[in-house]
């Protein structure tokens, strides 16, 4: 009986060793290539943080949950936006600060504006629409729904 258990134990070790060998040398990737997106919002965020002091301060205020001050700073940073992409990004952050304050109707108006900016990038506009859905989903408030669908294209 002990001889059978010993043979099964040896066979198990051999099978596990073979599986490890096959996995390690044939199935396991030895080099992983990560392709970074060319034009992502994190690089835009970095540019805004380094070039517009109000934007950087607002980001800090959001980090410590001072949403009222962050909103004010984001609104002042809007005036310094140099192109539609920056304007859309900063305006989106204004909406985020309003949302964090619980000012859902104001946030809806801002996110609707972002979603309909024709010059702003499509992915940013899609995120704004997603935020509209998030606000309604969180509140399930008919007044908010009415505000969302009150104008075209919603």
């Amino acid at each position: 009986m002990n001889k059978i258990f010993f043979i099964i134990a040896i066979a198990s070790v051999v099978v596990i060793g073979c599986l490890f060998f096959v996995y390690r040398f044939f199935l396991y990737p030895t080099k992983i290539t990560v392709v970074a997106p060319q034009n992502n919002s994190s690089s835009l965020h970095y540019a805004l943080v380094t070039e517009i002091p109000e934007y950087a301060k607002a980001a800090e205020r959001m980090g410590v949950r001072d949403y009222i001050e962050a909103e004010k700073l984001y609104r002042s940073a809007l005036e310094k936006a140099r192109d539609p992409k920056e304007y859309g990004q900063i305006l989106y952050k204004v909406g985020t600060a309003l949302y964090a304050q619980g000012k859902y109707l104001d946030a809806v108006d801002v996110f609707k504006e972002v979603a309909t900016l024709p010059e702003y990038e499509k992915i940013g506009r899609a995120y704004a629409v997603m935020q509209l859905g998030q606000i309604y989903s969180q509140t399930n408030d008919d007044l908010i729904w009415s505000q969302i669908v009150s104008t075209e294209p919603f």
Side-chain angles (χ1 to χ4, degrees):
M1 189 73 161
N2 286 339
K3 212 176 205 186
I4 293 174
F5 286 125
F6 180 73
I7 292 172
I8 291 174
I10 295 292
S12 298
V13 170
V14 169
V15 168
I16 291 172
C18 288
L19 289 174
F20 173 77
F21 178 80
V22 168
Y23 176 76
R24 174 64 182 97
F25 294 105
F26 296 106
L27 299 177
Y28 184 77
T30 55
K31 182 178 180 183
I32 299 174
T33 305
V34 177
V35 178
Q38 293 295 320
N39 205 358
N40 62 11
S41 62
S42 63
S43 62
L44 177 59
H45 175 76
Y46 177 76
L48 289 170
V49 165
T50 56
E51 296 170 11
I52 301 176
E54 292 86 355
Y55 185 90
K57 289 175 189 172
E60 289 175 13
R61 296 287 80 200
M62 287 292 286
V64 295
R65 298 182 179 191
D66 185 2
Y67 304 123
I68 295 170
E69 185 63 23
E71 177 199 350
K72 292 175 187 174
L73 289 164
Y74 280 133
R75 287 191 187 276
S76 66
L78 270 176
E79 299 169 6
K80 297 183 178 179
R82 296 172 300 227
D83 59 41
K85 192 172 182 180
E86 289 183 358
Y87 183 83
Q89 175 74 15
I90 298 169
L91 189 60
Y92 182 89
K93 294 293 190 174
V94 170
T96 303
L98 288 166
Y99 173 77
Q101 292 175 55
K103 296 181 179 179
Y104 299 124
L105 291 174
D106 294 335
V108 164
D109 290 336
V110 170
F111 286 127
K112 282 175 66 172
E113 183 181 348
V114 172
T116 57
L117 287 172
E119 306 87 19
Y120 188 44
E121 60 185 15
K122 291 178 185 176
I123 190 72
R125 293 167 56 194
Y127 275 116
V129 171
M130 185 181 73
Q131 285 291 43
L132 292 171
Q134 174 65 29
I135 292 170
Y136 177 69
S137 173
Q138 181 180 350
T139 62
N140 199 24
D141 185 347
D142 290 335
L143 181 61
I144 288 176
W145 178 252
S146 298
Q147 184 74 10
I148 290 171
V149 297
S150 65
T151 58
E152 291 294 327
F154 305 101

